[in-house]
Each structure stands twice: as structure tokens, then as C-alpha cells.
Amino acid sequence: MSGDRSALQVVEGKSLGRLAVDDLAARVAAAARVVVDVGTGDARAAWRLARAEPDTLVIGLDPAWQRMADTATRSRRKPAKGGAPNLVLVNAAVEAAPPALDGVADAVTVLMPWGGLLWGVVTAGPDVCGGLRRLARPGAPLEVVIGTSIWRPPVPVELANLPELTPAALAPGGELAARWAAAGWAVDEAAVTTSVDDGAPATSWARRLGSTAPESLLIVRAHAV
Ligand SMILES: C[S@@+](CC[C@H](N)C(=O)[O-])C[C@H]1O[C@@H](n2cnc3c(N)ncnc32)[C@H](O)[C@@H]1O
């Protein structure tokens, strides 16, 4: 089904289903705004946003679709029982997101990424940054939140060569900002905060990291040009 351009692979509880591209387009057109959460994990942050903003279409994207299964099940209940009919969970990596998602997002979030997504945002890799850009409407804001403890000992072996991303590294005129710009993103600000209330949503992963010691979060904000 992944080569089927007439439908997206969406999570329907413990299995995958299909959402026709035309149905998605109708839902995008009917929504007050569309937010795409890339690397949504268990999709709880996306579900919370969908519950808080019933007129917003929230699309969670992740290639590890089984992790989204519980939230997918819950979102299909009646709204009074935790349902969120405005939440769509798509089985895809951002580098290979379905073309039907091109240009739908009024806002894009990447919260506590890992794997290829983390490498892509930290190094401003063209596949990941370009994939994020394809999702966005012109002018759409992007927010990336990374827990900085990934660069403190003990550094996971798979991250040993991951360069540390700092606000200074993203300064205007620098190489990284230029790479983001080449992918169609203007970096507006990058800052480190220890407070998850300071504009960063409390995702499952952020809570897990912050359960033993306050986690420093690097927040990068950009907009699509
Ligand atoms: C640490 S989890 C964070 C999940 C969630 N955002 C949270 O904060 O609880 C990182 C997620 O990024 C996803 N991911 C990794 N590479 C990805 C890619 N190329 N495209 C989309 N998601 C990716 C993983 O499957 C994983 O679910």
C-alpha cells in the first residue's frame, strides 16, 4: 500500500488502514488550521493538541506506527471519552512523507527527535529538512525541541559522532543556518531552556527525560520561506 498514491497509510488502532487522498484534502480544507507533528512517537502530545483545538486538524507522522496504536484507539472513541476525530496518525518517515501532505501544514513540530530525524535536524540534512519543508505552507512556523542531555555522558553509542547543536551554531550567517535556508527554512531563534512550560510542549519523551533531573531543552524556531 505504501506505493499507493491515492491513499495514505494511517493508524487505526492495532492495524494500518488507508485514508483516501481526497478525504484528507477535504479535512484539510475544512480545518481552521493544520498542524503536523513529525516523529510523533506515542502521539500523546498530538492527541492533547487535537483535544484542545477541535477545529485544528492534527496530523502525527512517524514510521514506527505501532507506537501510535494506543492513541489511535483512544482517538476513535466518542469525544466525551477521550476521542479526537481531528487527529490523523500517518505511518511514514518525513523523508518519504506521502505527497498528499505537501503544503498542508500551517505549523510543523519536531519534539524530542531521535534516529534519522534527530541526525537530520541537528546537521540540517537536506532529506529531513527538505521533507519538513514539503509539509509546510509558505510562512508556516517550525518548532524543533531537543533534549540536550543526548550530548552529555553517557552518550549513546549511536550518537557518539553527532555534533552538538547550540544556539551559536545556528547563528545567522553560519553554515547551519545556510543549510536550513537551502532547504527553505529561515531560522528565527534558537535558545536553551530548562522549563517545559517555556513554549515547549510536555511530550511523553520530555517527561521521561525530565523525571530524574530537569532536562535542558534546545528550542529552534524557523519559518518556511
Ligand atoms: C524520542 S521519540 C519522541 C516521540 C515524541 N515526539 C515525544 O516527544 O514523546 C522520537 C521519534 O522520532 C521518530 N523518527 C525517527 N526518525 C524519523 C523520521 N525520519 N521521520 C519521522 N519520524 C522519525 C521515531 O520513530 C520516534 O518515534
Side-chain angles (χ1 to χ4, degrees), residues 24-36 46-59 79 83-88 104-107 137:
L24 175 79
R27 295 186 67 175
V28 168
R33 70 181 189 122
V34 178
V35 177
V36 182
W47 173 82
R48 272 196 298 274
L49 177 63
R51 294 277 297 170
E53 297 184 18
D55 295 338
T56 296
L57 178 64
V58 182
I59 300 174
N86 53 328
L87 177 65
V88 173
V104 300
D106 295 296
R137 295 186 205 273

Side-chain angles (χ1 to χ4, degrees), residues 38-41 62-64 67 93-95 111-112 114 116-117 203-205:
V38 177
T40 199
D62 203 300
R67 231 174 263 143
V94 69
E95 306 91 312
L111 308 172
M112 316 301 278
W114 77 29
L117 185 58
T203 72
S204 299
W205 203 255

Side-chain angles (χ1 to χ4, degrees), residues 10-18 27 47 69-79 81-89:
V10 293
V11 189
E12 291 179 348
K14 304 244 175 277
S15 62
L16 284 172
R18 60 198 297 283
R27 295 186 67 175
W47 173 82
D70 286 350
T71 301
T73 301
R74 193 201 299 191
S75 71
R76 292 167 78 95
R77 294 183 195 145
K78 293 187 176 136
K81 301 201 165 177
N86 53 328
L87 177 65
V88 173
L89 298 174

